Each structure stands twice: as C-alpha cells, then as structure tokens.
Amino acid sequence: MTAANAKPAVGEEVVTSRILTAPNLISAARLCLVPLYLWLLLSGEDIWATVVFAIAALTDFVDGQVARRTHSVSKLGKLLDPAVDTILMMTGVIGTCLVGRCPVWILVIIIARELFLLIGGGILIKTRDIHIPVVYAGKFATTFLFIGFAALLLNQPLIPGLGITDIPWLPGFSSEPVCWGIWFIYIGLILQIGVTVYYCIQAAHKLKGQV
C-alpha cells in the first residue's frame, strides 16, 4: 500500500485539504464580526459591541469542537482558527484601549507576545522543522482575556478597587471603582506569560536535541 493510500492509525487526527468545511465557515464568520465589533464600539453602541464580541469569542470553542466531532479538521482550518483568535484578541484590546477602558501597557504586552510567538514559531518551523504543540493553558488564558474584554466593553457593574496604590495605569489596585473584567484580564495575562515561558523551554529542549 502506497503512502498516499495508507489509512490513518487508530486515534490519529485526519487532516483534509478541503476549504469549504463547516468549521472554516464558522471561523470566516468570526472574522467578519471583527470590523462590525469595532464599528459598533466606536459608534458608542457598547451593548451591541459587547454582544458581537462575545459571539465571536464564544464561537472559538464551537469551530474546534465541530471540526473534531465531524472529522473535518483541515489544513486551512489549522491556520485560520488561531489566526482569527489572534486578530480577535488584538482588536479586543485595541478597542478597549481606544475607549479608555484598558491601560496601554496591556495592549503592548499582548501584541508583543503575539508577534513573538508568530515570528519565533515561523522561524522554528521554517529553519528547524520544529512544531511546539498548543497547551490547554493557552486556551484558558485566551478565555479569561475574552471575558475580560467583553466585560470592559460593557463597563458594568463596577466594583471597588483594592486601594493598594494610586498608580493610574493599574486599574483595580487603586481605590477607584473598576469594572470586574480587569481582574480576568490580569489572570489571562499571567497565564499567557506562563504559557509563553513554557513554549520557550520546549523550543530550547527541541533545539538542544537537534544539536
């Protein structure tokens, strides 16, 4: 039996070359919601912007589940799904920064991390054929961030700050009332940094194994 006709092993994920699959259509629909979300937010429609962002974020779980349950994992989908996640993450933080509800340093950290993983991962794949598998902690981090951004878009209810410091760029730690979503963003950032360190360690081990 030739390699082209070989059947996949039991439990092995089958990846197709099809483009028009249900998961890919869901990912494409999520991508189309991004400009709609930004338009609604900048038009002052906070509630509708939150609804659109929440739908786009929630369907992140849907497309992956549909792909696995219907055995329609595709090469395009493996690229499209994380790309849409990254775009949604970046537009989420940019939007909340534009309306003054998220500190700029959070925007800088998230964008710097995404670019680092994108460029670093691309270099590893192209030059050393090294692939670092995604860990569930990264999905948890993304979920916390999406919830946090959605809450900041709605900007309610507000809760008292901790009153630890008066530094204005650390919302939640001052005595000023703050949207509860900022704490989800802090947790998401900590998880993202931890996951990034884990990816770097795994990459270093694989590089060492090739020496």
Side-chain angles (χ1 to χ4, degrees):
M1 181 180 294
T2 64
N5 296 324
K7 293 183 179 180
V10 176
E12 183 180 344
E13 183 182 77
V14 179
V15 180
T16 73
S17 299
R18 293 173 57 200
I19 295 177
L20 293 178
T21 65
N24 289 350
L25 292 176
I26 294 173
S27 295
R30 293 175 62 217
L31 185 60
C32 292
L33 290 177
V34 171
L36 176 59
Y37 146 72
L38 285 175
W39 178 77
L40 289 169
L41 180 64
L42 298 179
S43 299
E45 300 289 345
D46 291 355
I47 294 178
W48 284 111
T50 304
V51 170
V52 170
F53 184 84
I55 292 173
L58 287 172
T59 48
D60 171 39
F61 174 78
V62 174
D63 55 4
Q65 287 297 310
V66 170
R68 284 184 286 272
R69 292 179 183 275
T70 61
H71 305 290
S72 54
V73 176
S74 65
K75 294 178 181 178
L76 175 61
K78 291 174 76 72
L79 295 175
L80 187 60
D81 182 37
V84 174
D85 283 348
T86 299
I87 293 171
L88 186 61
M89 178 74 66
M90 295 176 72
T91 53
V93 67
I94 289 172
T96 51
C97 283
L98 288 175
V99 294
R101 297 172 195 163
C102 185
V104 176
W105 65 267
I106 293 179
L107 168 66
V108 173
I109 289 178
I110 289 178
I111 291 181
R113 176 189 181 272
E114 295 297 336
L115 290 176
F116 172 74
L117 292 181
L118 179 65
I119 296 173
I123 292 174
L124 286 176
I125 292 173
K126 186 174 182 179
T127 62
R128 298 296 185 91
D129 194 27
I130 291 177
H131 298 257
I132 307 299
V134 176
V135 294
Y136 278 108
K139 281 292 185 181
F140 284 128
T142 300
T143 299
F144 272 102
L145 289 171
F146 280 164
I147 293 174
F149 291 137
L152 289 185
L153 292 173
L154 196 58
N155 203 32
Q156 57 180 315
L158 300 180
I159 60 175
L162 298 179
I164 297 176
T165 178
D166 291 327
I167 299 177
W169 43 269
L170 284 176
F173 291 95
S174 68
S175 57
E176 294 293 323
V178 66
C179 176
W180 59 271
I182 193 67
W183 296 110
F184 276 75
I185 291 177
Y186 288 151
I187 294 172
L189 282 178
I190 293 172
L191 286 174
Q192 275 202 337
I193 292 171
V195 169
T196 303
V197 172
Y198 170 81
Y199 286 155
C200 290
I201 293 174
Q202 291 299 306
H205 286 165
K206 291 194 175 187
L207 283 170
K208 186 177 180 180
Q210 290 186 350
V211 175

